[in-house]
Amino acid sequence: MTPEVQALRTAFDRQHRASRNDIAASASIRQALLDSLHGLLIEGRAALVEAISDDFGGRSRTETDILEIVPLITAIGHSRARLKTWMRDSPRRVDLSLQPGTAWVRYEPLGVIGVIAPWNYPLFLTLGPAIDALAAGNRVIVKPSEASPAFAALLARLVADRFDADRLTVVQGGVAVSQALSGLPFDHLVFTGSTDVGRHILRAAAEHLTPVTLELGGKSPAIVAPDFAIDRAARSIAFGRYLNAGQTCVAPDYALVPAASARRFADGVLSAAVHRYRTIERNGDYSNIIDARHHQRLTDAIEEARHGGAEILTHPAPAPTGHRIAPTVVLGAPDDCTLMREEIFGPVLPVKPYDTLDAALAFVRARPRPLALYCFADGAATQRRILDGATSGGVTINGTLLHVAQHSLPFGGIGASGMGAYHGRDGFLRFSHARAVHKAGPINMFERIGPPWGTAARLTMRLVAGLKPLGDGR
């Protein structure tokens, strides 16, 4: 057992004992924990932004602020303000046959929550689930990606300075640590990453019947309806595609556009990218691809599409060096090429023309269900037609990414794009046990009717369920 895996096991054992021996944390304790996270973000902000940029070899600092730190701060405020309401017992109706009595649901902590986070939004996807888990009264072990080592080391120090290890702790390490973590008997496990790795996580968790929330991504389509302005759609989709150099699990992965407007749309996307990013090399607003392997994967995929007959439209600035790829639009990519089969996770947007909206919806339905769908349509009837015609984890209408930023909306996938959802109250419920409680009244009628089963039992069956007695078999 490596030192990193041993450290993980020690941290888990400590939290597991505490979760079984201590009573559930009060609202004030949970709010204090959220306050500590808020302080960590405020005081550690500059260092966190710098560490993340270092791991990327150059990542827009403003994007880290806007896309990671701001959503976490607002999530903390959202949960903190509503926590006492969420924690209240929920009264439930008592059936006539069980009267007199009272019934309610208590929302109790599950215990110990494990979080395995990815590298693309290392702060948001590490602490986002932790906020919901702490609000629900749990203890949390988070494991940042090995692809973001500077961030992981910094977060471990910041968390250790502010939290007891039996409440929140950070473990570091590579694939072996992630594998060991997924094999521990957590009370719930959250994984954000690729579908292939998600399958391994689910298999490992099944050994202990550990419930799992998987956020897996996939190929999220943007569907532009014939009634929507092409130039407006192009600007919006370009915004969502090229943030963080396309390394966003809910980024629009390809665009379905009316055939007559496909070329104009492709030109519009590239024009919008040029407007936002005048240069690519040494542009502080544009991010690197995380490492050489992913850079090579993307360049190979672009070349494969080119050789398959696709037209490649690229930002006109001088070709960047290092791990940067300029915003790219691919028109006419073959359906069987990598760009159309696999999640791209880079600043490349394939544009697929369609003849009818029904054909576009059929194209989406024929593929694994995506994490997000983007519907660009002016008419309410067309919007409903698209929502009814293709299923996804979440949807933004006439924009991109916005549904993820709503703390009042659940965030999660479906099918190959994941299972389970969290954020805000939905996260509180995800990491809580809804414990059913029934309090019998002074007269327990259920016990009074038998056995021996007689007239009272037969009358109860008839009144409650409309059933005639079958008899006792004698």
Side-chain angles (χ1 to χ4, degrees):
M1 184 180 297
T2 67
E4 292 85 0
V5 172
Q6 181 59 57
L8 165 65
R9 185 74 218 201
T10 300
F12 175 81
D13 289 343
R14 180 188 296 117
Q15 291 199 0
H16 190 269
R17 284 194 301 271
S19 72
R20 271 50 178 178
N21 293 333
D22 297 347
I23 63 172
S26 65
S28 60
I29 290 176
R30 301 183 197 189
Q31 288 171 330
L33 292 168
L34 295 177
D35 289 342
S36 292
L37 268 185
H38 183 272
L40 182 154
L41 291 168
I42 295 300
E43 294 182 17
R45 173 188 169 197
L48 287 164
V49 168
E50 196 62 34
I52 291 171
S53 182
D54 288 346
D55 284 330
F56 273 76
R59 201 251 190 126
S60 169
R61 288 158 175 79
T62 301
E63 286 188 0
T64 299
D65 261 342
I66 291 291
L67 302 178
E68 301 207 60
I69 290 179
V70 169
L72 288 173
I73 288 174
T74 57
I76 290 169
H78 179 88
S79 294
R80 194 188 189 289
R82 295 161 177 79
L83 184 56
K84 290 183 179 179
T85 300
W86 295 347
M87 291 176 64
R88 289 175 186 161
D89 292 345
S90 175
R92 301 299 170 91
R93 179 181 176 275
V94 177
D95 292 342
L96 177 64
S97 60
L98 301 177
Q99 293 279 11
T102 53
W104 65 95
V105 171
R106 288 168 51 93
Y107 296 103
E108 301 179 351
L110 291 175
V112 184
I113 311 299
V115 178
I116 304 175
W119 51 263
N120 60 320
Y121 290 93
L123 181 60
F124 180 65
L125 294 174
T126 298
L127 293 188
I131 290 170
D132 294 346
L134 291 172
N138 296 284
R139 298 161 193 277
V140 189
I141 295 175
V142 298
K143 196 275 177 186
S145 170
E146 61 274 14
S148 51
F151 162 75
L154 174 61
L155 184 66
R157 292 196 300 272
L158 294 175
V159 167
D161 288 343
R162 288 180 171 270
F163 291 88
D164 292 335
D166 65 357
R167 179 61 65 178
L168 175 65
T169 193
V170 178
V171 296
Q172 302 176 70
V175 174
V177 176
S178 296
Q179 290 174 338
L181 192 152
S182 62
L184 290 173
F186 281 94
D187 297 294
H188 198 102
L189 189 60
V190 183
F191 169 77
T192 306
S194 72
T195 300
D196 286 342
V197 177
R199 292 188 179 97
H200 293 292
I201 297 293
L202 193 58
R203 279 193 290 267
E207 180 67 24
H208 297 287
L209 300 180
T210 298
V212 176
T213 295
L214 300 176
E215 306 299 351
L216 304 178
K219 296 193 69 63
S220 297
I223 302 176
V224 182
D227 69 349
F228 198 84
I230 284 294
D231 293 341
R232 181 181 164 199
R235 289 192 298 271
S236 185
I237 292 169
F239 176 82
R241 174 72 270 185
Y242 299 123
L243 283 179
N244 199 31
Q247 297 164 113
T248 303
C249 61
V250 291
D253 209 70
Y254 64 98
L256 289 158
V257 183
S261 303
R263 181 58 195 238
R264 180 180 166 191
F265 174 82
D267 289 339
V269 170
L270 195 62
S271 176
V274 171
H275 176 75
R276 291 187 179 279
Y277 309 104
R278 297 292 186 182
T279 62
I280 301 302
E281 190 78 11
R282 292 185 293 276
N283 185 339
D285 288 333
Y286 196 73
S287 296
N288 269 15
I289 303 303
I290 186 68
D291 57 28
R293 179 175 67 85
H294 284 282
H295 184 274
Q296 188 63 54
R297 173 183 61 81
L298 289 165
T299 55
D300 288 348
I302 294 170
E303 289 308 307
E304 178 194 20
R306 189 195 308 275
H307 292 147
E311 182 179 1
I312 311 299
L313 309 179
T314 307
H315 193 294
T321 59
H323 295 163
R324 291 204 168 184
I325 292 178
T328 301
V329 180
V330 179
L331 192 56
D335 286 350
D336 61 351
C337 75
T338 301
L339 291 177
M340 292 304 296
R341 287 186 293 104
E342 300 178 5
E343 185 176 7
I344 296 170
F345 232 66
V348 183
L349 180 72
V351 177
K352 182 170 181 61
Y354 68 79
D355 293 324
T356 66
L357 187 55
D358 284 340
L361 293 171
F363 185 86
V364 176
R365 289 196 302 270
R367 284 151 180 79
R369 289 172 168 177
L371 183 56
L373 182 145
Y374 300 108
C375 161
F376 290 85
D378 279 330
T382 304
Q383 293 169 6
R384 286 195 301 271
R385 183 177 169 191
I386 292 173
L387 292 179
D388 291 343
T391 299
S392 66
V395 179
T396 294
I397 297 175
N398 299 342
T400 61
L401 314 182
L402 299 179
H403 65 283
V404 181
Q406 298 290 317
H407 303 306
S408 59
L409 289 176
F411 170 66
I414 179 172
S417 63
M419 62 177 68
Y422 63 100
H423 281 194
R425 176 167 172 78
D426 294 283
F428 173 85
L429 295 174
R430 173 66 52 187
F431 303 124
S432 296
H433 171 52
R435 189 179 186 187
V437 181
H438 178 89
K439 181 179 179 181
I443 301 174
N444 189 328
M445 293 304 298
F446 190 65
E447 294 178 0
R448 290 288 184 94
I449 65 174
W453 306 110
T455 302
R458 292 191 292 271
L459 181 61
T460 298
M461 286 189 290
R462 185 180 294 274
L463 290 176
V464 172
L467 297 176
K468 295 181 179 180
L470 297 174
D472 59 7
R474 293 178 300 193

